[in-house]
Amino acid sequence: MAPRLKNALLAENFKISLHSIRSHMLRSILTILIIAFGIMALVGILTSIDAIRFYLNSNFTRMGANTLTIQNRGLRVMMGGRSTRPKTFRAITWDEARRFKEEISFPTNVSIFVYGTNTGTVSFGSEKTHPNVPVIGTDESYITTSGNEIASGRNFSTHEIQNGSHVAIIGSNIVSTLFKKKVEPVGQLVNIGANRYRIIGVLKEKGSSIGFTSDNLCLLPVENARRYFSRPNMSYSINLMAHDPLMLDALEGEATGLFRIIRQVRTGEETNFDVSKSDNLAEILFENLKYLRMAATIIGLITLVGAAIGLMNIMLVSVTERTQEIGVRKAIGATRRTIRNQFLAEAIVIAQLGGLVGILLGMMAGNLLSLTIGSSFIIPWVWIIGGVLLCLIVALISGILPANKAANLDPIESLRYE
């Protein structure tokens, strides 16, 4: 009987709460909106951060997962008007890169590549690309280590790499620019710079990744790029992809040690080259996102403090307006506990309604950004549960004082209150 009576009292308190909210609709709506905006700020910004993390993670994975890159300069990151100035070391020579590829004994895919130019132009007949095509000299392993795939045609052969043959692999953007009449690009002759090349492959479309797109690349055999795009102090880069992702750190140590020997770096001297993981930039950006998360939390909590004050105010006013009603309920047998629970239930209902509205608005705002940047739809379960708990805490803090005031009212004085 006791559990059934308890459930009946909870249901009655819930009904009385809804009746009180309807009786003071405008005031209740304003309080609900104050709470909703606080939760919306919290859930919306944190959902946006989750969407950005997902976007960065997926894009940097597509740029080449489990990959190390050895080059003569580090990453430069611009964030909030400040930038990290990368160290630049002496150029990595062709002999050094080739010796490294021959001597590395770790189970890994190794590729050597070099940027011939970042302002290349590719033409076919009367069609021509803008002069913004990166022309990269690569070996046969570059497509694997860079996270690319061949959509049609084939990769470079070892013979073509060694002889510097006039063959090329191009990105999908170049195909759509040059071959507008549905001409099959594989096998066609195009002009790249001052030379003619036969297209042997087309890269699978990947889209843009943090301002960079491999869909606009033009790949040539590395020996060809050395011959026709040569320049003073040409520096080569090396990609390494571990066969086992869990061995990436071990590969980094092995590669660093071997290349220090090849570059004749003495014990105790600083390494004169940079070894970066494919997710280094993502980690740097994630590190900066924590400040945004902190700011969002502070903004949301400040708004919720205002909401708590507003909710306490409406509950205190409600106690004053319903003094006679409280006297009547006490006169017919309502206990102090029943009265207190009634007003606490009312505060909880208002806060949870505000939390529900805020969570829905926050999810919409966060996923609007997710849709804009092309990320996945995010359901922030952690922040949804956190929002519900926060609203419960706000309700208890704001409702306990008015509820105790109502419970402690003298029934005789309450009945004759006007």
Side-chain angles (χ1 to χ4, degrees):
M1 183 66 185
R4 189 178 298 175
L5 179 61
K6 188 174 181 180
N7 291 335
L9 286 173
L10 286 173
E12 182 66 20
N13 283 336
F14 183 72
K15 289 178 182 177
I16 294 171
S17 301
L18 292 178
H19 176 73
S20 176
I21 291 170
R22 284 196 299 267
S23 300
H24 307 89
M25 185 63 74
L26 180 60
R27 191 167 61 193
S28 299
I29 288 175
L30 291 175
T31 308
I32 287 170
L33 287 177
I34 293 173
I35 296 172
F37 284 132
I39 296 296
M40 183 185 75
L42 198 59
V43 174
I45 298 177
L46 295 175
T47 302
S48 300
I49 292 172
D50 285 345
I52 293 170
R53 286 182 65 91
F54 181 88
Y55 173 75
L56 291 174
N57 220 21
S58 61
N59 276 279
F60 279 104
T61 299
R62 287 192 301 167
M63 290 171 68
N66 311 318
T67 304
L68 297 175
T69 301
I70 300 176
Q71 49 195 359
N72 74 322
R73 60 183 306 165
L75 292 170
R76 180 171 186 171
V77 181
M78 190 79 174
M79 183 71 68
R82 296 177 300 172
S83 65
T84 58
R85 184 177 295 277
K87 288 185 177 180
T88 301
F89 307 99
R90 70 172 177 82
I92 296 173
T93 66
W94 169 246
D95 289 338
E96 289 173 338
R98 190 170 55 179
R99 181 183 166 190
F100 176 88
K101 184 174 181 177
E102 291 171 353
E103 294 184 11
I104 185 75
S105 58
F106 201 92
T108 177
N109 289 331
V110 185
S111 103
I112 302 172
F113 65 99
V114 64
Y115 277 85
T117 178
N118 281 315
T119 56
T121 301
V122 184
S123 62
F124 175 74
S126 60
E127 302 292 344
K128 185 168 63 173
T129 66
H130 294 296
N132 62 349
V133 176
V135 177
I136 305 178
T138 72
D139 59 14
E140 67 279 5
S141 300
Y142 177 79
I143 289 178
T144 301
T145 61
S146 63
N148 286 290
E149 296 177 51
I150 296 288
S152 61
R154 61 177 177 82
N155 194 3
F156 298 123
S157 67
T158 304
H159 176 79
E160 288 167 339
I161 296 295
Q162 291 174 348
N163 291 285
S165 303
H166 282 63
V167 290
I169 299 172
I170 60 176
S172 58
N173 282 358
I174 300 175
V175 172
S176 60
T177 301
L178 301 183
F179 305 100
K180 296 181 178 178
K181 296 181 179 180
K182 304 298 181 182
V183 176
E184 173 58 42
V186 176
Q188 301 295 333
L189 290 172
V190 296
N191 291 317
I192 304 172
N195 298 286
R196 291 176 69 80
Y197 294 82
R198 186 174 300 279
I199 298 174
I200 62 168
V202 175
L203 296 175
K204 186 176 180 180
E205 185 175 357
K206 291 178 65 175
S208 179
S209 299
I210 323 298
F212 173 81
T213 175
S214 60
D215 298 339
N216 204 44
L217 287 181
C218 178
L219 306 182
L220 306 178
V222 64
E223 285 288 355
N224 187 282
R226 292 182 66 225
R227 189 180 308 152
Y228 296 104
F229 292 89
S230 180
R231 61 184 182 276
N233 295 320
M234 201 170 191
S235 186
Y236 294 80
S237 300
I238 305 167
N239 273 350
L240 300 99
M241 176 179 282
H243 292 170
D244 183 354
L246 298 178
M247 299 298 291
L248 192 61
D249 290 336
L251 172 60
E252 182 178 8
E254 178 82 11
T256 302
L258 175 59
F259 209 54
R260 280 177 62 91
I261 294 172
I262 293 172
R263 298 266 284 185
Q264 298 180 353
V265 180
R266 296 178 181 175
T267 303
E269 290 183 350
E270 182 185 8
T271 300
N272 61 359
F273 54 91
D274 179 76
V275 181
S276 60
K277 295 180 182 178
S278 57
D279 58 353
N280 272 7
L281 182 55
E283 289 177 1
I284 293 171
L285 296 174
F286 290 160
E287 183 69 18
N288 282 274
L289 284 177
K290 72 179 182 182
Y291 300 109
L292 183 58
R293 188 188 298 275
M294 192 183 302
T297 304
I298 292 172
I299 291 169
L301 291 177
I302 289 173
T303 310
L304 285 175
V305 169
I309 294 171
L311 181 57
M312 185 180 292
N313 178 63
I314 191 176
M315 295 306 299
L316 287 170
V317 172
S318 180
V319 170
T320 303
E321 290 179 345
R322 295 159 61 188
T323 300
Q324 281 192 340
E325 177 192 328
I326 295 169
V328 172
R329 289 181 180 278
K330 284 194 170 185
I332 61 177
T335 63
R336 290 177 58 194
R337 183 178 180 180
T338 303
I339 298 297
R340 186 182 71 242
N341 289 345
Q342 176 192 325
F343 279 87
L344 272 177
E346 189 173 323
I348 290 171
V349 169
I350 291 175
Q352 292 301 332
L353 286 173
L356 179 62
V357 174
I359 288 168
L360 291 175
L361 291 175
M363 283 181 60
M364 290 171 59
N367 281 290
L368 183 62
L369 172 66
S370 181
L371 181 65
T372 302
I373 65 176
S375 184
S376 176
F377 184 84
I378 302 294
I379 301 178
W381 292 112
V382 173
W383 311 122
I384 289 174
I385 296 170
V388 171
L389 292 176
L390 275 174
C391 288
L392 180 61
I393 293 169
V394 167
L396 292 175
I397 292 173
S398 304
I400 193 69
L401 181 62
N404 283 332
K405 180 180 178 182
N408 292 328
L409 286 176
D410 183 84
I412 304 300
E413 294 295 329
S414 300
L415 283 171
R416 63 187 185 187
Y417 178 83
E418 294 182 7

